Amino acid sequence: MLLRASKEVEHIKTMVLKMATLAEESVRDATESFMKCDTEIAQRTIERDSEINQSEMNIDKEVFQCLALKAPVAGDLRLLFSIQKINKDLERIGDHAVNISQAAINCFGFGKPIVSAQIRLMSSLTNTMLSDAISCFSKTDSQLALNVLEHDDQVDDLNRAMTREVITLVKQDITSIEASLELLRVSKNLERIADLSTNIAEDVIFHAKALDVKHRNMSEQLLDQE
């Protein structure tokens, strides 16, 4: 029974990795569409969301059937619990990519978005965090997962800095308020993607080490052990 469960769990993990690839492509395309004010790329990202949503439902169904019929234990059971949460996080990441794409479409009417060096850095860092989170899930790499956790504060700082920058922009030019609000929208969605990537990394550590590192002191203790 355990071997059958393990085989089924690996199949579900493969499904999650395919969904993760879609989510990663969506975030990459969404940020590119905003930087370039490219509505074609933005629309492609929005259309991809239905495939991500369908993947979430398919994975939920497979997890439920595995739990009900295969009686997984130990590592398999922890992996399934992690997959349940990662599945939802990936679906939400897809939603945030759609929000960024919609901001790109809105900014098309303004000529081009206001893209600062900070939002470019935030975009690059968030894309890297998501890519690393997916990679650590694929490889069950707890060290790489810890690296993802370490970058989350940096994205939070950039998001707060973007709020201050938008306030300054609006004060300097009141006509920029609509474009500035879209910039703020993108910043907030990038921050949420980084948070969800962090969630994925935490779930990988839970699976690999049977440890809950949602609290910072726990992640620091694990880092000391590595």
Side-chain angles (χ1 to χ4, degrees):
M1 180 68 72
L2 179 57
L3 290 176
R4 290 177 62 194
S6 295
K7 183 177 180 180
E8 182 68 20
V9 171
E10 285 302 313
H11 169 67
I12 296 171
K13 182 176 179 179
T14 299
M15 293 176 67
V16 174
L17 287 171
K18 289 179 179 178
M19 179 184 178
T21 298
L22 293 174
E24 186 178 10
E25 289 174 356
S26 287
V27 173
R28 184 173 59 248
D29 286 350
T31 52
E32 181 182 357
S33 72
F34 184 74
M35 301 298 175
K36 297 180 177 180
C37 200
D38 190 320
T39 58
E40 183 177 344
I41 298 175
Q43 190 59 45
R44 186 169 68 224
T45 303
I46 293 170
E47 292 170 357
R48 186 186 292 124
D49 193 50
S50 61
E51 188 175 356
I52 293 174
N53 292 340
Q54 185 62 53
S55 294
E56 183 203 14
M57 291 187 288
N58 292 342
I59 291 167
D60 269 347
K61 180 180 178 181
E62 292 290 334
V63 169
F64 177 78
Q65 289 181 342
C66 187
L67 288 170
L69 303 176
K70 304 297 183 180
V73 296
D76 280 345
L77 188 59
R78 288 202 307 274
L79 179 54
L80 281 176
F81 285 155
S82 295
I83 281 174
Q84 282 185 308
K85 293 187 285 184
I86 290 169
N87 187 35
K88 296 184 186 305
D89 287 338
L90 289 171
E91 188 275 333
R92 290 165 65 195
I93 284 170
D95 289 343
H96 289 296
V98 168
N99 291 342
I100 294 170
S101 297
Q102 289 173 337
I105 291 171
N106 292 342
C107 284
F108 184 77
F110 309 141
K112 67 176 182 178
I114 302 171
V115 181
S116 69
Q118 284 194 125
I119 202 70
R120 291 184 184 279
L121 175 59
M122 192 176 183
S123 173
S124 175
L125 186 57
T126 300
N127 274 279
T128 298
M129 285 180 67
L130 177 57
S131 178
D132 286 349
I134 294 169
S135 182
C136 75
F137 171 67
S138 174
K139 301 173 184 177
T140 318
D141 187 335
S142 58
Q143 182 57 59
L144 182 57
L146 284 170
N147 292 342
V148 175
L149 268 58
E150 290 179 330
H151 288 305
D152 190 45
D153 287 342
Q154 188 177 352
V155 174
D156 290 341
D157 290 341
L158 286 168
N159 183 50
R160 285 189 288 268
M162 281 307 310
T163 301
R164 295 191 295 270
E165 182 174 328
V166 164
I167 291 172
T168 300
L169 285 170
V170 173
K171 285 181 177 179
Q172 291 174 347
D173 181 8
I174 192 63
T175 63
S176 71
I177 187 169
E178 289 181 299
S180 295
L181 287 175
E182 294 298 342
L183 180 62
L184 197 60
R185 179 186 187 186
V186 170
S187 177
K188 181 59 180 175
N189 278 278
L190 287 172
E191 187 265 341
R192 290 299 300 130
I193 292 169
D195 284 345
L196 293 166
S197 299
T198 299
N199 289 351
I200 293 171
E202 290 170 345
D203 287 327
V204 169
I205 293 171
F206 171 74
H207 167 229
K209 302 289 187 178
L211 289 173
D212 184 344
V213 295
K214 291 185 181 299
H215 300 291
R216 182 63 61 184
N217 62 333
M218 287 295 296
S219 62
E220 289 172 351
Q221 290 175 20
L222 182 57
L223 185 59
D224 290 339
Q225 296 172 14
E226 289 291 333

Short mmCIF file of all heavy atoms in Angstrom, two decimals, residues 29 34 50 62 72 139 157 164 176 186 197:
data_model
loop_
_atom_site.label_atom_id
_atom_site.label_comp_id
_atom_site.label_asym_id
_atom_site.label_seq_id
_atom_site.Cartn_x
_atom_site.Cartn_y
_atom_site.Cartn_z
N ASP A 29 5.69 36.88 -17.77
CA ASP A 29 5.03 37.60 -18.86
C ASP A 29 4.31 38.85 -18.35
O ASP A 29 4.31 39.90 -19.02
CB ASP A 29 4.03 36.69 -19.57
CG ASP A 29 4.69 35.65 -20.45
OD1 ASP A 29 5.92 35.76 -20.67
OD2 ASP A 29 4.00 34.73 -20.91
N PHE A 34 4.08 44.79 -18.30
CA PHE A 34 4.01 46.10 -17.64
C PHE A 34 5.22 46.95 -18.00
O PHE A 34 5.09 48.15 -18.28
CB PHE A 34 3.91 45.93 -16.13
CG PHE A 34 3.74 47.23 -15.41
CD1 PHE A 34 2.54 47.91 -15.43
CD2 PHE A 34 4.80 47.79 -14.70
CE1 PHE A 34 2.39 49.13 -14.78
CE2 PHE A 34 4.67 49.00 -14.03
CZ PHE A 34 3.45 49.67 -14.07
N SER A 50 -7.02 30.59 -16.84
CA SER A 50 -8.03 29.52 -16.80
C SER A 50 -7.37 28.15 -16.75
O SER A 50 -7.89 27.23 -16.10
CB SER A 50 -8.96 29.62 -18.02
OG SER A 50 -8.22 29.48 -19.22
N GLU A 62 -7.03 14.90 -7.19
CA GLU A 62 -6.06 13.81 -7.08
C GLU A 62 -5.57 13.65 -5.63
O GLU A 62 -5.39 12.52 -5.15
CB GLU A 62 -4.87 14.07 -8.00
CG GLU A 62 -5.18 13.98 -9.48
CD GLU A 62 -5.46 12.55 -9.94
OE1 GLU A 62 -4.96 11.60 -9.29
OE2 GLU A 62 -6.20 12.39 -10.93
N PRO A 72 -1.63 7.23 2.64
CA PRO A 72 -0.22 7.61 2.72
C PRO A 72 0.21 7.88 4.16
O PRO A 72 -0.60 8.30 4.99
CB PRO A 72 -0.16 8.89 1.88
CG PRO A 72 -1.53 9.45 1.96
CD PRO A 72 -2.45 8.26 2.00
N LYS A 139 13.27 19.74 -6.10
CA LYS A 139 14.45 19.00 -5.62
C LYS A 139 14.38 18.66 -4.13
O LYS A 139 15.29 18.01 -3.61
CB LYS A 139 15.71 19.83 -5.87
CG LYS A 139 15.95 20.19 -7.33
CD LYS A 139 17.11 21.15 -7.48
CE LYS A 139 17.30 21.59 -8.91
NZ LYS A 139 18.40 22.59 -9.05
N ASP A 157 10.54 45.67 1.85
CA ASP A 157 11.15 47.01 1.93
C ASP A 157 10.95 47.78 0.63
O ASP A 157 10.65 48.98 0.64
CB ASP A 157 12.65 46.90 2.24
CG ASP A 157 12.92 46.43 3.67
OD1 ASP A 157 12.01 46.52 4.51
OD2 ASP A 157 14.05 45.96 3.92
N ARG A 164 6.19 55.29 -0.99
CA ARG A 164 6.74 56.64 -0.80
C ARG A 164 7.05 57.30 -2.14
O ARG A 164 6.82 58.50 -2.32
CB ARG A 164 8.01 56.56 0.05
CG ARG A 164 7.77 56.09 1.49
CD ARG A 164 8.99 56.29 2.36
NE ARG A 164 10.11 55.46 1.94
CZ ARG A 164 10.33 54.22 2.40
NH1 ARG A 164 9.51 53.68 3.28
NH2 ARG A 164 11.38 53.53 1.99
N SER A 176 -0.28 62.60 -13.06
CA SER A 176 0.28 61.24 -13.10
C SER A 176 -0.41 60.30 -12.12
O SER A 176 0.01 59.16 -11.98
CB SER A 176 1.78 61.29 -12.76
OG SER A 176 1.97 61.60 -11.39
N VAL A 186 0.91 47.29 -9.10
CA VAL A 186 1.90 46.29 -9.51
C VAL A 186 2.84 45.95 -8.35
O VAL A 186 3.13 44.78 -8.08
CB VAL A 186 2.71 46.79 -10.73
CG1 VAL A 186 3.90 45.88 -11.00
CG2 VAL A 186 1.82 46.88 -11.95
N SER A 197 5.56 32.87 -2.65
CA SER A 197 6.78 32.09 -2.92
C SER A 197 7.43 31.66 -1.62
O SER A 197 7.95 30.54 -1.49
CB SER A 197 7.76 32.93 -3.76
OG SER A 197 7.19 33.29 -5.00
#
